[in-house]
């Protein structure tokens, strides 16, 4: 033990836990929203010519694994620079829907998935980060994130609004996340409808998009949000998503060996 508690915490995280990277390195040509331009890179200096290397990148804010601030969909709400780093230190709870998504690519996460999780691990704690596991991130290298059929219809899983309402209003969670390129299922996105996305953003919660899981943060006043949602959806103009590859970076600590007790609600971090 040292004289500094934070040093001890850092040492424990480094020595007693395995760090899991929940993100993907971004690159040109990765999957992205259809209205966004591809990234641009320009090498300004090179080691061979100048003795050091410097690249210039041009990318949109919602590129690769990222966090959508509340202001992404709600005018006047906080942007990323107004969200302190202490707000991102959260218990991680993983809702495992990997088998559901494997059997049904149009799977929509509902309250039954949450109840199934809580029966096994206990109630989800308040102020937690709830990530939806679908194993969809395994498709990133192939670029098959929307999983279109022969007629071009998208088939990818996503969050359902009742599940998000339950997590926000009944469990007071701080953040949600997912592996897919969108919060909503692919068929809904293809139809230009984003009910889950437009539900969660006006709640003052940021949303970390396209990680190996994704995060989101918000307020808890259902009535105020319901007044906003139809209006917000009516303003959406969604181009057809491009079928391209995707990636970007974030971490989560996981125990190296069994420790006393379990993490909150079966979480690993």
């Amino acid at each position: 033990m040292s004289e500094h508690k934070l040093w001890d915490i850092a040492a424990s995280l480094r020595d007693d836990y395995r760090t899991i990277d929940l993100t993907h390195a971004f690159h040109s040509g990765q999957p992205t929203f259809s209205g966004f331009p591809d990234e641009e890179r320009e090498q300004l200096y090179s080691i061979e010519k100048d003795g050091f290397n410097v690249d210039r990148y041009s990318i949109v804010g919602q590129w690769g694994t990222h966090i959508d601030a509340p202001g992404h969909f709600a005018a006047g709400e906080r942007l990323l620079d107004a969200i302190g780093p202490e707000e991102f230190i959260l218990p991680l709870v993983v809702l495992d829907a990997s088998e559901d998504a494997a059997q049904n690519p149009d799977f929509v996460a509902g309250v039954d998935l949450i109840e199934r999780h809580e029966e096994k691990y206990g109630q989800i704690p308040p102020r937690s980060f709830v990530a939806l596991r679908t194993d969809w991130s395994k498709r990133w290298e192939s670029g098959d994130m929307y999983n279109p059929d022969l007629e071009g219809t998208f088939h990818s899983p996503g969050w359902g609004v009742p599940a998000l309402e339950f997590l926000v209003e009944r469990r007071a969670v701080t953040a949600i996340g997912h592996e897919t390129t969108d919060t909503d299922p692919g068929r809904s996105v293809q139809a230009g409808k984003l009910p889950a996305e437009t539900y969660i953003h006006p709640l003052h919660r940021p949303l970390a998009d396209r990680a190996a899981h994704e995060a989101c943060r918000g307020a808890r006043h259902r009535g105020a949000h319901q007044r906003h949602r139809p209006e917000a959806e009516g303003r959406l103009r969604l181009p057809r998503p491009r079928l391209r590859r995707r990636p970007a970076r974030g971490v989560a600590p996981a125990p190296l060996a069994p420790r006393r007790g379990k993490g909150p609600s079966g979480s690993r971090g």
Side-chain angles (χ1 to χ4, degrees):
M1 298 290 290
S2 71
E3 297 179 0
H4 304 285
K5 184 177 181 179
L6 289 179
W7 289 9
D8 295 331
I9 293 174
S12 177
L13 290 174
R14 182 189 64 237
D15 300 335
D16 301 334
Y17 295 83
R18 177 168 55 97
T19 299
I20 300 173
D21 189 345
L22 297 180
T23 64
H24 305 262
F26 62 79
H27 62 76
S28 178
Q30 67 185 31
T32 190
F33 179 65
S34 59
F36 294 161
D38 199 1
E39 74 170 59
E40 297 179 5
R41 301 189 187 194
E42 178 185 3
Q43 187 173 50
L44 301 181
Y45 300 91
S46 69
I47 293 177
E48 293 75 17
K49 291 177 57 179
D50 308 292
F52 61 98
N53 186 69
V54 174
D55 294 329
R56 175 164 58 192
Y57 297 84
S58 176
I59 58 175
V60 298
Q62 282 68 30
W63 186 250
T65 304
H66 64 272
I67 297 172
D68 282 346
H72 182 45
F73 266 74
E77 296 295 348
R78 295 190 301 169
L79 299 177
L80 286 179
D81 61 342
I83 302 172
E86 69 280 356
E87 296 185 58
F88 296 102
I89 302 175
L90 307 168
L92 172 62
V93 177
V94 179
L95 300 180
D96 190 352
S98 55
E99 292 186 7
D100 304 89
Q103 296 175 10
N104 175 20
D106 296 313
F107 174 76
V108 179
V111 176
D112 58 328
L113 176 65
I114 301 171
E115 293 174 340
R116 191 173 74 199
H117 173 92
E118 294 190 332
E119 285 179 4
K120 185 174 182 179
Y121 297 109
Q123 184 168 306
I124 294 173
R127 300 184 64 185
S128 58
F129 168 32
V130 179
L132 177 62
R133 177 186 174 185
T134 58
D135 283 350
W136 221 249
S137 59
K138 295 178 180 179
R139 295 170 172 264
W140 285 26
E141 288 304 315
S142 67
D144 189 24
M145 297 296 288
Y146 286 109
N147 190 30
D149 59 25
L150 294 178
E151 297 180 351
T153 301
F154 295 167
H155 300 281
S156 57
W159 286 100
V161 173
L164 297 182
E165 289 177 334
F166 184 92
L167 290 173
V168 170
E169 299 166 22
R170 302 283 297 278
R171 295 296 178 259
V173 304
T174 294
I176 64 106
H178 51 267
E179 301 174 66
T180 51
T181 52
D182 300 281
T183 308
D184 294 89
R187 297 176 77 170
S188 178
V189 174
Q190 188 175 32
K193 298 179 180 180
L194 305 179
E197 185 114 15
T198 54
Y199 167 79
I200 201 73
H201 277 296
L203 298 182
H204 312 304
R205 287 168 164 74
L207 191 148
D209 218 5
R210 303 174 199 102
H213 296 296
E214 189 170 40
C216 165
R217 195 181 308 269
R220 306 187 182 130
H221 304 295
R222 179 178 180 183
H225 175 69
Q226 287 181 327
R227 288 193 296 272
H228 173 92
R229 184 170 56 196
E231 178 185 354
E233 276 201 79
R235 291 198 303 266
L236 294 177
R237 297 293 182 269
L238 303 177
R240 182 180 178 84
R242 289 193 295 261
L243 303 180
R244 300 194 307 172
R245 301 175 58 190
R246 179 163 230 125
R249 279 200 201 272
V251 299
L256 282 173
R259 300 169 68 84
R260 294 181 181 178
K262 290 189 298 187
S265 299
S267 69
R268 298 188 300 177

